[in-house]
Amino acid sequence: MKVAVIKERRAHERRVAASPDTVKRMVGMGLEVVTEGGAGSSASFTDAALAAAGASIVADPAAALGDADILLKVQRPLIDAEAGIDELTYLKRGSVLIGLLQPTQNPDDVDAYARAGIAAFAMELVPRITRAQAMDVLSSQANLAGYKAVVEAAAEFGRAFPMMMTAAGTIKAARVLVMGAGVAGLQAIATARRLGAIVYHRRRGGGPFGGNPRRLCSRDGGRLSAPSARQDHRGPEADGHRYLHRADPRAQGAYSADGCDAWRAGPGICNR
């Protein structure tokens, strides 16, 4: 069975659908792996490294896709001469397409796959169950997104995140608010803490895989900010009293701050 990996041609895409490690594993399973020359260059995988892992390197996508049984992609294939190429025309009927295909956002592409007789698998729609964890393509990317969001925020912030005490004076630590406690949110909390910021988290529903957001945020160093059931105490936004709990589980009592003007004075003991 022939597996094809070609260069990603959509704008700003630097990933590739196979690495030397995955190529080696596929070859070990008895699959023939063919990659287009330069397919992994943007991801720092050289043709030599892919060839050493067992892949055959070909000059162009037509040679890679010819007689391919499976096409591995990161982004959905180019159709109707997008960017000067129609990648579907090279695939034979009955072949399999695997990638991040975004079928709900691109229904016309789904129709094109059907007309071409291609079995398409959108990896982002694989159920997130225990048996399918090895096929989860979302968590790793969300993890990187949370990290990158904080790194870019630090670059745009204009001053340092951590508290700095110098002969010229003291710079207070930056305060970072992270919305959500999913995979990206938890990584953002952890990254901001590593950079020395005081991190607050605004809870929105449960954590990833049904985890307790208070426990998860405390584990990663965040202070949970959540609305209280007391709707008569209104804060600067219309969601009532906010509690900002200390991350340290050994803390005596719940340290909090009001959602009203007193909140701006900083954390204090909450007696409500």
Side-chain angles (χ1 to χ4, degrees):
M1 184 173 289
K2 180 179 177 181
V3 178
V5 178
I6 62 175
K7 185 184 302 183
E8 297 292 329
R9 289 177 166 80
R10 291 196 178 273
H12 312 299
E13 182 55 72
R14 299 176 58 86
R15 296 171 293 179
V16 64
S19 67
D21 288 340
T22 58
V23 167
K24 186 175 182 179
R25 278 188 279 176
M26 286 189 283
V27 171
M29 295 167 60
L31 301 174
E32 177 190 357
V33 182
V34 179
T35 65
E36 179 186 358
S41 58
S42 295
S44 301
F45 298 132
T46 64
D47 289 345
L50 293 169
S56 300
I57 310 299
V58 296
D60 53 48
L65 297 176
D67 296 326
D69 299 292
I70 300 173
L71 169 59
L72 301 182
K73 289 276 293 173
V74 177
Q75 297 284 353
R76 67 189 195 279
L78 299 170
I79 302 176
D80 296 331
E82 292 181 79
I85 185 174
D86 188 338
E87 294 171 340
L88 284 189
T89 60
Y90 301 120
L91 289 173
K92 64 182 181 182
R93 296 188 70 85
S95 58
V96 175
L97 168 64
I98 302 174
L100 299 170
L101 306 181
Q102 302 176 341
T104 56
Q105 292 94 335
N106 303 279
D108 293 340
D109 289 4
V110 177
D111 294 337
Y113 306 149
R115 290 193 301 270
I118 295 170
F121 291 86
M123 295 303 295
E124 68 270 33
L125 300 183
V126 173
R128 300 182 73 182
I129 59 177
T130 301
R131 288 180 297 173
Q133 281 187 353
M135 294 183 285
D136 182 3
V137 298
L138 298 177
S139 295
S140 63
Q141 304 308 297
N143 207 28
L144 289 170
Y147 165 80
K148 184 66 172 179
V150 174
V151 171
E152 291 194 356
E156 293 290 333
F157 183 48
R159 63 180 179 88
F161 267 23
M163 181 180 72
M164 291 189 173
M165 302 179 67
T166 71
T170 299
I171 300 174
K172 293 183 178 179
R175 293 174 182 260
V176 174
L177 174 64
V178 177
M179 303 292 287
V183 175
L186 292 176
Q187 180 58 242
I189 291 170
T191 302
R193 284 285 296 171
R194 293 188 192 104
L195 291 177
I198 299 172
V199 184
Y200 296 96
H201 163 254
R202 176 70 168 87
R203 182 173 64 184
R204 296 178 64 87
F209 313 108
N212 184 307
R214 186 184 305 277
R215 177 178 58 80
L216 293 170
C217 293
S218 296
R219 180 197 67 186
D220 289 324
R223 305 182 182 190
L224 184 62
S225 170
S228 168
R230 294 190 55 162
Q231 296 299 320
D232 57 329
H233 185 85
R234 310 305 291 176
E237 289 124 29
D239 55 0
H241 187 71
R242 291 172 182 265
Y243 290 85
L244 304 178
H245 295 276
R246 270 201 356 191
D248 188 353
R250 298 169 298 179
Q252 300 297 318
Y255 283 68
S256 72
D258 282 349
C260 58
D261 289 339
W263 179 78
R264 306 178 192 282
I269 297 291
C270 177
N271 297 316
R272 300 186 179 216

